[in-house]
Amino acid sequence: MKLKRLYVDIDGVVFDSRSFIDGHTLHISKEELEAVAGDKAFSTVELFVAAPGTRCRILNMGDIVQPTLKLEDEDATFPGVVGRMKTAGRGTSLMLRNVVISETAEVKIQLPSLVEMTELGAAHTDFAKYFHIVIDAFPAEGVPREDYLTALHKASKKLAKHVAAIAKDCAPDDTEEFTLEREGLDGLPRVAYLADVFCHAPFVEMTLYGESMAAAMPVIIHPNEILDGAVTNKDYDNSSNADPTYVWQNHPIILELYRRHGVDLNFAGVVLSNIHHTVEWKQRNATMAAAMIHNQLRADGCIITKEGGGHPQVDVGFATDVLEGEFGVRTTLILAEFLSPNNDARGQLLFKSKYADAIVSTGCFDMVDLPAADTAIGHIPTLMPTKDGTLAGPVTINNRSMQGCESQMGWTRFGSLKF
Amino acid sequence: MAEKLRVVHYINQFFGQLGGEDAASTGIRTETKPVGPGLSLQAALGERAEIVATIICGDNYIAEQLEKVTDEIVEIIRGYNPDMFFAGPAFNAGRYGVACGSICAAVKKKLAIPAVTAMYAENPGKEIYATDIFILKAGDNARKMADETRKMAQFAYKLHDGTLERDPEKEGFYERGWMVLKKHEDMASKRAVDMLLDKLHGRPFKTEIPMPTEEKVDAPAPIKDLSAATVALITDGALCPQGNPDGMRTGNSTTFFVYSVEGKDTLTKEEYTCVHGGFDTSFVLQDPNRLVPLDALRILSGEGFVKMHEAFLSTSGLTTPVTSSVSIAKGMIDYVRSHSIDAAILTST
């Protein structure tokens, strides 16, 4: 299985009377794109552009998506979500870089989540370094919350496909090929990746080909499928506990394992396993996932990540015990240390495993003082009150509310210093 | 030249040259000059600071009434109006290490001046006080006294000048159990792959999150006669009356609340709600009894199976630091003991 990605780099986004790319500037027709994003669940749809380095704040972040289009089969872009069902990860995909489609949710969500486009914002998350085309859609009267959020989830994927298509005639700035089939792998340690995903409740979930894994057992999946839109993020209520679709499309562990495939390791494959809320399910999924990694992927080592908050650590711990204890597969875990706001370095692990001796941190609790922004996109105030009561006012927020800051899939440079 | 910084130094009877175990019950003595290790400490401090007093106390004398003697010593220290305080180094001497830790912690709290001690990794004083104060790493004997006191002096100057880095390896102190955000050169994903390959190849690696040490909790003895036992309902699922009159937090709790159920056979959705911020609460909002099973317990108590306590305890168990959890639990235990409750049904989410 081979995936080729063609990249067109964007360094400016402007509204115009029609949509086209001139050099590296993306011109978009507001009217045209708003019509693409439209849905009967929305009363109004308005698009905004947020540029990096500006004093702009995007509130109540939903999903963030990289524009992408399947070139040989456009209808199969984001299969199962807005595209026809087809195996992702093959053929050629066109992608725009440095620009993302993002959503501001116009309903209340449980955890605050925002992107601040300033330099301070960029110091916390790379999402502040990209141009955002933000969908600001309001629910139509009488439309239930779930219908609204489903429509929003699809709108960003439709728009991601539509915006990528604007670049169809552009010469790519860069290309990348992804295939596991190559020479010179003999003798290199086989390394697998286990992604424990968090399908916990409606809209606290991810989707695989458009369906939640809430009741699913673990699956082996080709890394190309993940890079190519088979997985989307659908976590709205705890969005800062999960990584947006963009991070799945650019999964840092998959990309790192690919970079080193045939160099100092042999990338053996990926297993997705859902984090359930009952112990029986946790044990079942962890045990099955570990067996797949050992028996099918024949891995010597495995990286494990999780989504969600506290109890998903238990799933990671179970998987570690089975992988190391039963099968001798060595493990490294990635965990965020955001459980204790007092930054007690000893209060961050909720499970015991004598094997979990290699854990990478994606950062701990911190408070960030954001000065007033000039503009705020979205109308739902962050849960932390601003000092002047306005949406763009100065506010002190938890670092993890800055979407991407403590990416649990390792898409961050943050960690913690113990002292 | 500016006035010299005033320094007080604490040592035990042995280093105070009063004797070994035979002198361990000696009470508090004060000298207005450096004594024993104080001489090399003074040499390391140089011209910028002066040891104005040395407090000497027997290890047994302080160990037998640690809090009281610590308080007395802190008041003596206060009398010298010092800018810095040193204790030890205590090496691997257990009682001495605990005394140094106790006095440094009290000096830091009450006098708010730099307080520095040093001891061996296995000294019990390190285990007890490392979260409260800076304890420098030291050997298990006094052979390198000049080195140890030099490190203590340099460290104290850094504390005093505010130039200390929060880096235990570099600055030579034992990890205190706290952390701050740190930005690495490499993404977490790369660090994880590097660490895994090191582990696979048997190369040294260092976890970024150490597994905490085990805490063993013994199960209580079973209740022999349930019909004579009073059972309370306790939840960390954040059930509360509609409108959340006490402002129960959705997470990061510091306290718990008690809600009477006197005269109630069931918890209705009109009367109760759930403010927990970390799980799908829809089934609780439909029927609060599924979080706090009052309906079932009322039936059992009607049948004489158990007695029931006429209130439930509730808190929100979400992103709650272990220290807060322990303090909430202690409060709940006090409540349970003072209300003659024999058993509790804990429902968690």
Coordinates of all heavy atoms in Angstrom, one line a residue, chain B residues 64-102:
Chain B
E64 N 13.1 13.2 70.8 CA 12.1 12.8 71.7 C 10.9 13.8 71.7 O 9.8 13.4 72.2 CB 12.7 12.5 73.1 CG 13.4 11.2 73.1 CD 14.4 11.1 74.2 OE1 14.4 12.0 75.1 OE2 15.2 10.1 74.2
Q65 N 11.1 15.0 71.4 CA 10.0 16.0 71.4 C 10.3 17.0 70.2 O 10.6 18.2 70.4 CB 9.9 16.7 72.7 CG 11.2 16.9 73.5 CD 11.0 17.4 74.9 OE1 9.9 17.9 75.3 NE2 12.1 17.4 75.6
L66 N 10.2 16.4 69.0 CA 10.7 17.1 67.8 C 10.0 18.4 67.6 O 10.7 19.4 67.4 CB 10.4 16.2 66.6 CG 11.0 16.7 65.3 CD1 12.5 16.9 65.3 CD2 10.6 15.8 64.1
E67 N 8.7 18.5 67.7 CA 8.0 19.7 67.4 C 8.3 20.8 68.4 O 8.6 21.9 68.1 CB 6.4 19.5 67.4 CG 5.9 19.3 66.1 CD 4.4 19.1 66.1 OE1 3.7 20.0 66.6 OE2 3.9 18.0 65.7
K68 N 8.3 20.4 69.7 CA 8.5 21.4 70.8 C 9.9 22.0 70.7 O 10.1 23.2 70.7 CB 8.3 20.7 72.1 CG 8.4 21.6 73.3 CD 8.0 20.9 74.6 CE 8.5 21.6 75.8 NZ 9.9 21.3 76.2
V69 N 10.9 21.1 70.6 CA 12.3 21.5 70.5 C 12.6 22.3 69.3 O 13.3 23.3 69.3 CB 13.3 20.4 70.7 CG1 14.7 20.8 70.6 CG2 13.0 19.7 72.0
T70 N 11.9 21.9 68.1 CA 12.1 22.7 66.9 C 11.6 24.1 67.1 O 12.3 25.1 66.7 CB 11.3 22.0 65.7 OG1 11.8 20.7 65.5 CG2 11.3 22.8 64.5
D71 N 10.4 24.2 67.7 CA 9.9 25.6 68.0 C 10.8 26.4 68.8 O 11.0 27.6 68.5 CB 8.5 25.5 68.7 CG 7.4 25.0 67.7 OD1 7.7 25.0 66.5 OD2 6.3 24.6 68.1
E72 N 11.4 25.8 69.9 CA 12.3 26.5 70.8 C 13.5 27.0 70.0 O 13.9 28.1 70.1 CB 12.8 25.6 71.9 CG 11.7 25.4 73.0 CD 12.1 24.3 74.0 OE1 13.4 24.1 74.2 OE2 11.3 23.6 74.5
I73 N 14.0 26.1 69.1 CA 15.2 26.4 68.4 C 15.0 27.6 67.4 O 15.8 28.5 67.2 CB 15.8 25.2 67.7 CG1 16.4 24.2 68.8 CG2 16.9 25.6 66.7 CD1 16.9 22.9 68.2
V74 N 13.8 27.5 66.7 CA 13.4 28.5 65.8 C 13.4 29.9 66.5 O 13.8 30.9 65.9 CB 12.1 28.2 65.0 CG1 11.7 29.4 64.2 CG2 12.3 27.0 64.1
E75 N 12.9 29.9 67.7 CA 12.8 31.2 68.4 C 14.2 31.7 68.8 O 14.4 32.9 68.7 CB 11.9 31.1 69.7 CG 10.4 30.9 69.4 CD 10.0 31.9 68.3 OE1 10.2 33.1 68.4 OE2 9.4 31.4 67.3
I76 N 15.1 30.8 69.1 CA 16.5 31.2 69.3 C 17.1 31.8 68.1 O 17.8 32.8 68.1 CB 17.3 30.0 69.9 CG1 16.8 29.6 71.2 CG2 18.8 30.4 70.0 CD1 17.4 28.2 71.7
I77 N 16.9 31.1 66.9 CA 17.4 31.5 65.6 C 16.9 32.9 65.3 O 17.6 33.8 64.9 CB 17.0 30.6 64.5 CG1 17.6 29.2 64.8 CG2 17.4 31.1 63.1 CD1 17.1 28.1 63.9
R78 N 15.6 33.1 65.6 CA 14.9 34.4 65.3 C 15.6 35.5 66.0 O 15.8 36.6 65.5 CB 13.4 34.3 65.7 CG 12.6 35.6 65.2 CD 11.3 35.7 65.9 NE 10.4 34.6 65.8 CZ 9.5 34.5 64.8 NH1 9.5 35.4 63.8 NH2 8.7 33.4 64.7
G79 N 16.1 35.2 67.2 CA 16.7 36.2 68.1 C 18.0 36.8 67.5 O 18.4 37.9 67.8
Y80 N 18.6 36.0 66.6 CA 19.9 36.5 65.9 C 19.6 37.2 64.7 O 20.5 37.6 64.0 CB 20.8 35.3 65.7 CG 21.4 34.7 66.9 CD1 20.9 33.7 67.6 CD2 22.6 35.4 67.5 CE1 21.4 33.2 68.8 CE2 23.1 34.9 68.7 CZ 22.6 33.8 69.3 OH 23.1 33.4 70.5
N81 N 18.3 37.3 64.3 CA 17.9 38.1 63.1 C 18.8 37.7 61.9 O 19.4 38.6 61.2 CB 18.1 39.6 63.4 CG 17.4 40.5 62.4 OD1 16.5 40.0 61.7 ND2 17.9 41.7 62.2
P82 N 18.8 36.4 61.5 CA 19.7 36.0 60.5 C 19.1 36.2 59.1 O 17.9 36.4 58.9 CB 19.8 34.5 60.7 CG 18.5 34.1 61.3 CD 18.0 35.3 62.1
D83 N 20.0 36.2 58.1 CA 19.7 36.3 56.7 C 19.6 34.9 56.0 O 19.0 34.7 55.0 CB 20.7 37.1 55.9 CG 20.7 38.6 56.5 OD1 19.7 39.2 56.4 OD2 21.8 38.9 57.0
M84 N 20.4 34.0 56.6 CA 20.4 32.6 56.1 C 20.6 31.6 57.2 O 21.1 32.0 58.3 CB 21.7 32.4 55.2 CG 21.6 33.3 53.9 SD 22.7 32.7 52.6 CE 24.3 33.3 53.2
F85 N 20.1 30.4 57.0 CA 20.2 29.4 58.0 C 20.8 28.1 57.4 O 20.4 27.7 56.3 CB 18.9 29.1 58.7 CG 18.9 28.0 59.7 CD1 19.5 28.1 60.9 CD2 18.3 26.7 59.3 CE1 19.6 27.0 61.8 CE2 18.3 25.7 60.2 CZ 19.0 25.8 61.4
F86 N 21.7 27.4 58.1 CA 22.2 26.1 57.7 C 22.0 25.1 58.8 O 22.0 25.4 60.0 CB 23.7 26.2 57.4 CG 24.1 27.1 56.3 CD1 24.2 28.5 56.4 CD2 24.2 26.5 55.0 CE1 24.6 29.2 55.3 CE2 24.6 27.3 53.9 CZ 24.7 28.7 54.1
A87 N 21.8 23.9 58.4 CA 21.8 22.7 59.4 C 22.6 21.6 58.8 O 22.4 21.3 57.6 CB 20.3 22.3 59.6
G88 N 23.4 21.0 59.6 CA 24.2 19.9 59.2 C 25.4 20.3 58.4 O 25.9 21.4 58.7
P89 N 25.9 19.5 57.5 CA 25.3 18.3 56.8 C 25.2 17.1 57.8 O 26.0 16.9 58.7 CB 26.3 17.9 55.7 CG 27.6 18.6 56.1 CD 27.3 19.8 56.9
A90 N 24.1 16.3 57.5 CA 23.7 15.2 58.5 C 24.2 13.9 58.0 O 24.0 12.9 58.7 CB 22.2 15.2 58.7
F91 N 24.7 13.8 56.7 CA 25.2 12.5 56.2 C 24.2 11.4 56.3 O 23.0 11.7 56.0 CB 26.6 12.2 56.8 CG 27.6 13.3 56.6 CD1 27.9 14.1 57.6 CD2 28.1 13.6 55.3 CE1 28.8 15.2 57.4 CE2 28.9 14.6 55.1 CZ 29.3 15.4 56.2
N92 N 24.6 10.3 56.9 CA 23.5 9.2 57.1 C 23.1 9.1 58.5 O 22.6 8.0 58.9 CB 24.1 7.9 56.5 CG 23.0 6.9 56.2 OD1 21.9 7.4 56.0 ND2 23.3 5.7 56.1
A93 N 23.2 10.1 59.3 CA 22.8 10.1 60.7 C 21.3 10.4 60.8 O 20.9 11.5 60.5 CB 23.6 11.1 61.6
G94 N 20.5 9.4 61.1 CA 19.0 9.5 61.0 C 18.4 10.5 61.8 O 17.7 11.4 61.4
R95 N 18.6 10.5 63.2 CA 18.0 11.5 64.1 C 18.5 12.9 63.7 O 17.7 13.8 63.7 CB 18.4 11.1 65.5 CG 17.6 10.0 66.1 CD 18.3 9.5 67.3 NE 19.7 9.1 67.1 CZ 20.6 8.8 68.0 NH1 20.3 8.8 69.3 NH2 21.8 8.4 67.7
Y96 N 19.8 13.0 63.4 CA 20.3 14.3 63.0 C 19.7 14.8 61.8 O 19.3 16.0 61.7 CB 21.8 14.1 62.8 CG 22.7 15.3 62.6 CD1 22.2 16.6 63.1 CD2 23.9 15.3 62.1 CE1 23.0 17.7 62.9 CE2 24.8 16.4 61.9 CZ 24.3 17.6 62.3 OH 25.1 18.7 62.1
G97 N 19.5 13.9 60.8 CA 18.8 14.3 59.5 C 17.4 14.8 59.7 O 17.0 15.8 59.2
V98 N 16.7 14.1 60.6 CA 15.3 14.5 60.8 C 15.3 15.8 61.5 O 14.5 16.7 61.2 CB 14.6 13.4 61.7 CG1 13.2 13.9 62.2 CG2 14.4 12.1 60.9
A99 N 16.2 16.0 62.5 CA 16.3 17.3 63.2 C 16.6 18.5 62.2 O 15.9 19.5 62.2 CB 17.3 17.3 64.3
C100 N 17.6 18.2 61.3 CA 17.9 19.3 60.3 C 16.7 19.6 59.5 O 16.4 20.8 59.2 CB 19.1 18.8 59.5 SG 20.7 18.7 60.4
G101 N 16.0 18.6 59.0 CA 14.9 18.8 58.1 C 13.8 19.5 58.9 O 13.2 20.5 58.3
S102 N 13.5 19.1 60.1 CA 12.4 19.7 60.8 C 12.7 21.2 61.1 O 11.8 22.1 60.9 CB 12.3 19.0 62.2 OG 11.4 19.7 63.0

